[in-house]
Amino acid sequence: MDHSTRASHRIQGRSAAPGIALGPLVRLATAPTQARQSRSVAAERDALDHALEMSKRDLAALADKVEDDDAEAVLSFQIALLEDENLVAPAYALIVAGEAADRAWAKAIDPEIANYDQADDPYFRGRASDLRDLRDRVLRRLAGEADQAVPPGAIVAADDMPPSVFLSTDWCDRGLVLRRGSPSSHVAILARSRGVPMLVGLDIDDLESGTDAILDGDAGMLIVDPDSSLRADYDRRLAAQAELRRAASAFTGPVLTASGERVQLMINVTGLAELRGLDPADVDGIGLMRTEFLFQARATLPTEQEQYQIYKQMLEWAKGKPVTIRTLDAGGDKPIPGLTRDGELNPFLGVRGVRLSLRHLDVFRLQLRALARAAVVGNLKVMIPMVTVPGELDRCRALLQDAVAELTREGLNAVMPPLGMMVEVPAAALMIEDFDADFFSIGSNDLVQYVMAASRDEPEFADLARPSRAVFNLIRRVTDHAARAGRDASLCGDLAGEPAQVAPLLDHGLRILSVAPGALAPVRAAIANYSGKDSEKTSAKPSGTT
């Protein structure tokens, strides 16, 4: 078919990972598996035993190759599922009843997949992909088929992408478009950590392999059959991004505005993998380490020693620069099985963040002990999420002091680190003077959605879920109080990583920004271009105001 005569069209989806990819579309479909003929019960049991064991070996071999904590967690989660007797027992029962191994396996696991797919919670819906991956991997082993191959240099479009297929693929200069999935799925987490542009929730029925396309992960859009002018525009954007990355790799020294004012630029991370290849000399520290990812995709919660080792390695990497570690921020769109509550009517307004920690003191005390021990190693700061009233922060301070005293009695080295708070609840921002915090970090993602009463994950409310003058007024209230009290105020939400928002944030008193590692270069450039001369004009109508 001659694609050159077709008009370009745009398909809106949801961004799961930012960035731009240009190339031909490739539809990836699961190869059909032929049903096997039943043999004896013993032979079918042996066949399933062998397929499960070989699947575990496949996943273990892949885990040995990856150098990424998030990837290892995904693969460990799948291996644990294969070892779960409750998951595989129904398949063996069906074999005893006369089913062939492949049909028994599919019949046993498909209801579990359906349960996850129908869950209200986006985290559990995201886990359906892991179960489909396991189902198909075992079925391929039973049929003697090879794993799926992802072609090079393409934008891959599929119903879903198994995590193990994603991890076995070189994604350089490629993108991913899925019908299923969510921004909280394992594949989305992996895509963000590897810089792979990704969209979810797209209708892919009319997409044809070989058709030219542009994946705009920043706008959540796929452009099919782009015209030459549009393609040239995106080529320029890609070239500009590449130039920024090259400039970032050569960066040395402090980050300064055009007038020579110092701005601290830090990074947000979820694990050690994001620090590989990044020189601590190029940043001012870690402004946010999200510890909830240590708790997800696991059969059991992390121990005190496991947490301590990871926090210790973070501090060692930073070489004396500050590392702000946020205590467990579970709940909302980040559930943890066995810990967060199921079926909350409104999880974003429910038991999440510090509210959850203070209701699970056994888990919280272990984390505080690990943090107090790690504080001996370097410049650690502890941050409490979702603080709403002063009493919550006061109680956390008392628990942290108790943890230090307890460790000291046990003969373990521990110190009391600075204790600060996330400012993401409007009530906290409005009465910021009442909080006994050593520092403040504004969480713009939640602050914006709570102020605007518009979900940040709902595409229909994209115009509302932007920073308004009301949001910037609260930011100014926090920075003014911090300046009067002689304490640091930073911003670690996604807003800090948007170059267009850097000037308004600096206008409103912020001089510490923490961004995803991939946003360092464009944010540095935006800071360098900031002169402060147009502050009144810029702050009068920040993005999203009318």
Side-chain angles (χ1 to χ4, degrees):
M1 181 179 293
D2 182 8
H3 300 300
S4 64
T5 61
R6 299 193 310 200
S8 64
H9 63 283
R10 304 177 183 223
I11 306 173
Q12 193 67 41
R14 294 180 66 192
S15 177
I20 298 169
L22 287 77
L25 283 166
V26 173
R27 286 287 300 270
L28 190 66
T30 302
T33 301
Q34 298 297 322
R36 297 165 55 255
Q37 294 297 314
S38 297
R39 298 170 293 192
S40 68
V41 169
E44 292 301 324
R45 283 185 61 92
D46 289 344
L48 183 56
D49 283 341
H50 179 73
L52 292 171
E53 181 59 32
M54 294 308 296
S55 295
K56 282 191 282 187
R57 292 185 186 182
D58 291 342
L59 293 170
L62 185 55
D64 287 339
K65 293 178 183 178
V66 298
E67 296 182 354
D68 184 314
D69 294 336
D70 292 331
E72 290 176 7
V74 170
L75 296 170
S76 296
F77 176 70
Q78 292 202 16
I79 292 171
L81 285 175
L82 284 174
E83 294 173 343
D84 184 351
E85 293 183 0
N86 292 326
L87 184 68
V88 300
Y92 287 116
L94 287 167
I95 288 174
V96 171
E99 284 283 15
D102 55 348
R103 290 192 294 269
W105 173 247
K107 286 183 178 180
I109 203 167
D110 281 347
E112 295 293 329
I113 294 172
N115 288 337
Y116 276 82
D117 271 331
Q118 294 165 11
D120 293 332
D121 200 308
Y123 174 84
F124 288 105
R125 289 198 302 271
R127 300 295 77 78
S129 179
D130 295 284
L131 284 171
R132 274 188 288 269
D133 190 4
L134 284 180
R135 178 197 62 194
D136 295 344
R137 176 174 292 280
V138 174
L139 289 175
R140 288 195 298 273
R141 274 292 180 181
L142 284 166
E145 296 176 358
D147 285 347
Q148 302 177 73
V150 176
I155 296 174
V156 177
D159 280 345
D160 203 359
M161 170 65 68
S164 64
V165 174
F166 183 93
L167 290 170
S168 61
T169 301
D170 178 3
W171 286 97
C172 181
D173 297 325
R174 301 176 194 172
L176 179 60
V177 173
L178 299 180
R179 185 198 306 273
R180 294 195 187 101
S182 73
S184 60
S185 70
H186 276 152
V187 168
I189 293 168
L190 294 170
R192 288 193 292 271
S193 70
R194 285 161 168 73
V196 180
M198 177 179 168
L199 303 177
V200 297
L202 273 81
D203 181 359
I204 65 170
D205 285 340
D206 295 329
L207 299 183
E208 298 180 17
S209 290
T211 306
D212 282 340
I214 297 171
L215 192 168
D216 188 336
D218 302 321
M221 180 171 56
L222 182 72
I223 306 172
V224 182
D225 285 314
D227 58 34
S228 58
S229 174
L230 192 57
R231 187 176 182 90
D233 179 54
Y234 273 91
D235 280 334
R236 286 190 292 270
R237 286 176 59 181
L238 275 175
Q241 289 179 9
E243 180 58 34
L244 283 173
R245 286 193 295 270
R246 284 192 292 272
S249 65
F251 172 84
T252 56
V255 181
L256 303 174
T257 67
S259 60
E261 187 176 7
R262 179 80 162 88
V263 176
Q264 293 184 54
L265 187 55
M266 301 186 176
I267 54 172
N268 302 332
V269 298
T270 60
L272 295 168
E274 290 160 281
L275 301 179
R276 294 190 179 100
L278 187 61
D279 189 337
D282 293 345
V283 298
D284 290 304
I286 296 174
L288 169 64
M289 190 266 180
R290 301 180 174 97
T291 62
E292 55 270 18
F293 290 93
L294 304 180
F295 289 73
Q296 291 178 334
R298 296 174 55 104
T300 59
L301 298 178
T303 65
E304 175 188 326
Q305 185 64 19
E306 286 178 295
Q307 294 185 62
Y308 165 70
Q309 288 296 334
I310 291 172
Y311 305 152
K312 177 173 174 286
Q313 291 177 67
M314 287 271 179
L315 290 158
E316 290 171 343
W317 175 88
K319 297 180 179 178
K321 291 184 176 180
V323 174
T324 301
I325 298 180
R326 183 174 68 188
T327 59
L328 181 61
D329 189 19
D333 58 349
K334 295 170 288 191
I336 296 174
L339 188 60
T340 52
R341 294 185 177 182
D342 295 332
E344 283 191 296
L345 292 178
N346 192 333
F348 278 101
L349 299 179
V351 181
R352 57 173 299 208
V354 68
R355 303 170 186 176
L356 182 75
S357 293
L358 292 176
R359 285 165 173 78
H360 291 272
L361 291 179
D362 54 338
V363 177
F364 193 33
R365 286 193 174 103
L366 282 184
Q367 183 169 40
L368 294 178
R369 282 172 58 94
L371 289 166
R373 291 171 60 192
V376 176
V377 177
N379 188 358
L380 173 66
K381 301 166 75 174
V382 175
M383 182 162 63
I384 307 298
M386 278 296 292
V387 176
T388 305
V389 295
E392 292 170 333
L393 187 64
D394 294 341
R395 191 173 178 199
C396 290
R397 186 178 295 279
L399 288 168
L400 184 54
Q401 290 169 338
D402 289 346
V404 173
E406 185 178 66
L407 289 163
T408 302
R409 288 194 299 270
E410 295 172 9
L412 295 172
N413 291 330
V415 297
M416 181 73 184
L419 183 70
M421 61 180 280
M422 290 280 287
V423 183
E424 49 197 339
V425 177
L430 287 168
M431 57 178 187
I432 196 67
E433 303 87 356
D434 295 344
F435 291 88
D436 180 23
D438 297 326
F439 62 92
F440 306 95
S441 184
I442 298 167
S444 60
N445 298 355
D446 276 323
L447 184 63
V448 169
Q449 76 170 350
Y450 289 145
V451 170
M452 303 304 294
S455 171
R456 66 193 193 208
D457 294 323
E458 176 52 64
E460 189 175 350
F461 300 148
D463 290 339
L464 278 178
R466 301 292 299 159
S468 66
R469 191 168 67 178
V471 173
F472 278 99
N473 285 345
L474 291 181
I475 291 174
R476 170 62 80 179
R477 184 177 182 86
V478 174
T479 58
D480 284 351
H481 168 69
R484 290 192 300 269
R487 300 170 189 174
D488 285 341
S490 63
L491 190 142
C492 62
D494 288 344
L495 199 62
E498 298 182 29
Q501 298 296 340
V502 166
L505 292 175
L506 296 178
D507 284 342
H508 285 78
L510 284 161
R511 290 300 180 268
I512 307 174
L513 303 178
S514 192
V515 303
L520 283 171
V523 171
R524 279 180 183 136
I527 293 171
N529 290 329
Y530 175 77
S531 65
K533 294 177 182 178
D534 299 323
S535 62
E536 290 300 319
K537 177 181 176 182
T538 306
S539 61
K541 279 186 85 113
S543 174
T545 58
T546 57

